[in-house]
Amino acid sequence: MRHAVVTDIHGDIARLRAVLDGIREQEVDRVVCLGDVFECRVGKAETAGYEFGGRLTDVFDPDPELARLLAGVRLVRGNQEERIRALVPDHDLPDWSRPLLDAPLEHRTGFALYCHGHPLPWRELEPGLWCPADADFPGRALVHGHHHRSALYRLRPDGTGPVRVERLPVRFGEPVPLAPDARYVINVGSVTGCAPDRGPSPAWAVVDEAAATVTYHHASPPTEIK
């Protein structure tokens, strides 16, 4: 099965449309969204003691177009969804938002674990370069978002300490084989804009489980985005 994987939309509908247009040109069996569909306007440090005042727009932009664009997509929950769910009383949420806010934490296949990534054990490999290299996952690959970076790592245990991590080059549009004698961490990259050193955006990846490859893709940002 070929999975087109998107993540970290943060309410950026114009970029999401650009990505979905690109995915339509691919022969994929399923689209998976790894969360942070919304952008929570209440910061993490502000959540303690927060009292909802009755206006959804104080917490997030409740645009039903996001639900329409993601209809039929396999959804995974991100930390933005979890924060919104914790701040807004259930009866104040529109029905269309619930599938996006209440998605499961992960999607598993025999080949890979697909998740947003915020609960994973992150290791700083280099200053500012984080990877969940010590995560326990089944199959050959861990496919995640959260860090807004297009990156690929090969993991090889040496039996004496932390897993050895090798960073592989990301070449957009070129399938990368995922060898059976190693395990891989696939950081998909973000739909929303990211820092230039984290790769182009909007970005997505196609994981071909039958061929055991991953291919990174990116689209030109919509013209209305500065």
Side-chain angles (χ1 to χ4, degrees):
M1 180 171 284
R2 284 168 55 84
H3 292 71
V5 188
V6 304
T7 186
D8 294 282
I9 299 163
H10 291 271
D12 203 330
I13 287 177
R15 286 176 179 259
L16 176 59
R17 286 197 187 102
V19 167
L20 294 176
D21 286 345
I23 289 173
R24 289 187 191 99
E25 299 175 3
Q26 308 288 324
E27 295 182 1
V28 301
D29 302 296
R30 173 179 289 159
V31 181
V32 180
C33 176
L34 300 183
D36 278 10
V37 172
F38 297 108
E39 174 69 22
C40 184
R41 291 175 175 156
V42 181
K44 187 176 180 180
E46 305 170 79
T47 56
Y50 179 86
E51 293 186 13
F52 180 65
R55 294 194 306 180
L56 288 176
T57 52
D58 288 343
V59 180
F60 72 110
D61 181 10
D63 191 340
E65 180 69 1
L66 282 168
R68 189 190 70 78
L69 290 171
L70 294 173
V73 171
R74 178 66 62 92
L75 299 167
V76 169
R77 185 170 76 248
N79 56 291
Q80 299 291 321
E81 285 76 55
E82 290 185 345
R83 192 182 309 159
I84 292 166
R85 206 60 169 97
L87 296 174
V88 180
D90 183 77
H91 59 79
D92 286 300
L93 290 170
D95 289 341
W96 63 262
S97 71
R98 298 177 193 278
L100 302 177
L101 293 169
D102 295 339
L105 269 175
E106 60 185 39
H107 168 59
R108 291 186 180 223
T109 70
F111 186 86
L113 170 65
Y114 300 81
C115 65
H116 183 67
H118 56 295
L120 295 173
W122 292 81
R123 189 202 305 177
E124 192 172 19
L125 304 178
E126 302 171 22
L129 189 64
W130 293 82
C131 172
D134 303 309
D136 181 20
F137 60 93
R140 198 178 305 185
L142 168 63
V143 186
H144 72 88
H146 188 55
H147 197 42
H148 296 204
R149 180 187 296 275
S150 298
L152 178 63
Y153 303 93
R154 180 162 51 206
L155 311 181
R156 296 186 185 275
D158 60 16
T160 60
V163 171
R164 182 162 55 91
V165 184
E166 178 186 1
R167 188 177 181 187
L168 303 178
V170 173
R171 298 185 179 92
F172 287 84
E174 297 182 19
V176 178
L178 306 177
D181 62 343
R183 304 171 84 210
Y184 295 84
V185 172
I186 299 169
N187 192 343
V188 172
S190 60
V191 171
T192 196
C194 63
D197 67 326
R198 297 191 174 199
S201 64
W204 74 96
V206 173
V207 179
D208 189 326
E209 297 189 348
T213 63
V214 60
T215 308
Y216 288 84
H217 297 274
H218 70 88
S220 297
T223 55
E224 64 265 31
I225 294 178
K226 306 298 185 184

